[in-house]
Amino acid sequence: MGSVPLELSRREELWPAAGLDVEQLRKTGWQPQPFVEFVIKIHSRCNLACDYCYIYEMADQSWRDQPKTMSHKVFADACRMIGDHARRFDLPRVDLVLHGGEPLMVGHRNLAEFARTARALLEPITEVRLGIQTNGVLLDEEFVDICDRWNIRIGVSIDGDESGQDRHRRDRRGEGSYSRVVAGLAQLAPPDRRARLFAGLLCTIDIDNDPVRTYEALLAFDPPAVDFLLPHGNWATMPPNLVGGDDATPYADWLVAIFDRWYQAPEVETGVRLFESIIALLLGGRAASESVGLEPVRLAVIETDGTLEQVDELKSAFAGATKLSCSKQGNPLDAALWEPSMVARQIGVDALSPTCRSCSIHTICGGGHYVHRYSADNGFRNPSVYCADLTALIRHIGSRLLSDVDTAKLE
């Protein structure tokens, strides 16, 4: 119990709370970019007990103090806060992602009311794109009908085939969840509804699962997109199968196998966000991703009690890492833009460590996911704990692109 205050006090001694001069940035004329994506935690508990979960199984246990379900009043207040922010910055659209825990635990009636409220309060101000990220276990016909009525795009988390899914994604009785998720995904089967509502699949990487078999198991659900997530870890708490200072690249090796299978397919089978982002950056384009690149992060999280926080993956670093100390005067979103921890996510190359800035691919890698840079010694100004893996993956993708360009020239 005494470790939490210690962590919180140390946060003020680490970068960016210490070392990032926000006032100096103001003097130079730098301005933050407003938030355009909002993760709203409508339920703080989950019906699964995934052993890698950053919310329930890692450093920050603040979920225990949160109300289980967001009240209608808190949700409406959150929408008004977002609407005021959108009006102030003249935002043409905002994305609201209903999240948890497991958001479908709010029940059918509450989900419908939340969607109705969001559209009623925000659509007079800006375009609203609603989404929900679910583990799929509770996804039934009535939930899909609600999503269809209110145009809520559905993303589902699943880790591959049955053995890959059930190794980690079990319920509190220890039973696997695969068959229930498959049944949930079947609710999206009608082609017209699938095309409109199915946002894609989210897969957390486990290198003990066969990579190509995992990818092909996900393809069987005909997803429009797949996102592969590196397990959350950092220099203080190493991810599975990584050793600090080791030059091995187990995660790159795993992803390269999928990339080659995906890239060599005779026709496009699905989008893979990580690969597409790296390709876009290698070709001189832009990629809106937290995992790679240097684009400003413009996302805020609203907890079930209405508290405004940073991206919740930071809970994997230390207790209190998501907390903000915004003034209670004015719109908290406007104030949060000037928090050092938020500014650090928007200043691009200036947030990178000297090691990263001296690297030839730093504009592609972008230092990796901010969460994966944490060290108990100096905060978040470090290379990613996945530095070797990201380097190997980017260089492999770059070499494949270059080979194709050279071949095209010869033809």
Side-chain angles (χ1 to χ4, degrees), residues 92-96 118-119 122-123 126-130 151:
R93 70 188 61 84
V94 294
D95 290 292
L96 267 62
R119 296 212 175 276
L122 288 169
E123 285 188 333
T126 185
E127 178 189 345
V128 180
R129 296 187 295 204
L130 286 178
N151 194 18

Side-chain angles (χ1 to χ4, degrees), residues 97-361:
V97 182
L98 307 178
H99 213 285
E102 170 47 45
L104 295 185
M105 289 179 71
V106 299
H108 303 102
R109 185 178 302 176
N110 280 330
L111 180 64
E113 179 60 19
F114 289 148
R116 185 201 67 78
T117 299
R119 296 212 175 276
L121 293 178
L122 288 169
E123 285 188 333
I125 302 168
T126 185
E127 178 189 345
V128 180
R129 296 187 295 204
L130 286 178
I132 192 166
Q133 186 65 39
T134 172
N135 61 34
V137 168
L138 298 175
L139 192 61
D140 61 14
E141 185 175 3
E142 187 173 354
F143 274 126
V144 175
D145 285 344
I146 292 167
C147 291
D148 195 18
R149 178 183 177 188
W150 294 104
N151 194 18
I152 306 172
R153 300 266 289 162
I154 302 169
V156 178
S157 299
I158 183 170
D159 288 350
D161 60 11
E162 184 168 9
S163 63
Q165 168 81 357
D166 289 349
R167 180 178 292 120
H168 300 288
R169 299 183 68 80
R170 297 173 176 267
D171 62 26
R172 300 193 181 281
R173 296 172 297 181
E175 295 180 3
S177 60
Y178 182 78
S179 61
R180 287 172 283 173
V181 179
V182 170
L185 283 165
Q187 299 297 324
L188 291 169
D192 55 339
R193 191 151 68 174
R194 172 173 289 257
R196 182 176 178 216
L197 298 179
F198 193 16
L201 300 176
L202 200 67
C203 174
T204 298
I205 297 168
D206 180 348
I207 60 173
D208 290 332
N209 296 331
D210 181 86
V212 173
R213 187 164 67 240
T214 297
Y215 173 65
E216 292 180 342
L218 298 174
L219 276 184
F221 298 108
D222 193 25
V226 174
D227 210 355
F228 290 105
L229 301 183
L230 293 164
H232 288 310
N234 52 64
W235 295 105
T237 305
M238 297 295 293
N241 300 295
L242 277 190
V243 178
D246 194 339
D247 291 332
T249 57
Y251 288 89
D253 298 344
W254 197 91
L255 285 165
V256 160
I258 295 177
F259 175 81
D260 287 344
R261 164 68 177 78
W262 173 79
Y263 189 71
Q264 293 165 183
E267 58 184 31
V268 177
E269 297 169 311
T270 188
V272 179
R273 184 183 179 195
L274 178 60
F275 301 157
E276 291 172 333
S277 295
I278 291 172
I279 289 171
L281 291 162
L282 285 166
L283 295 177
R286 300 168 68 179
S289 170
E290 283 192 74
S291 300
V292 291
L294 293 168
E295 287 297 303
V297 172
R298 303 174 65 184
L299 181 151
V301 175
I302 302 171
E303 287 284 1
T304 52
D305 65 354
T307 304
L308 181 65
E309 295 197 343
Q310 301 178 71
V311 291
D312 55 355
E313 293 99 328
L314 283 166
K315 293 179 186 291
S316 64
F318 59 87
T322 61
K323 300 300 182 185
L324 296 168
S325 55
C326 300
S327 168
K328 293 184 179 180
Q329 295 181 346
N331 189 319
L333 287 167
D334 300 348
L337 291 173
W338 291 100
E339 287 269 330
S341 52
M342 289 290 193
V343 172
R345 309 299 305 277
Q346 293 206 4
I347 57 175
V349 68
D350 290 333
L352 299 185
S353 70
T355 300
C356 290
R357 281 184 284 177
S358 67
C359 176
S360 62
I361 60 169

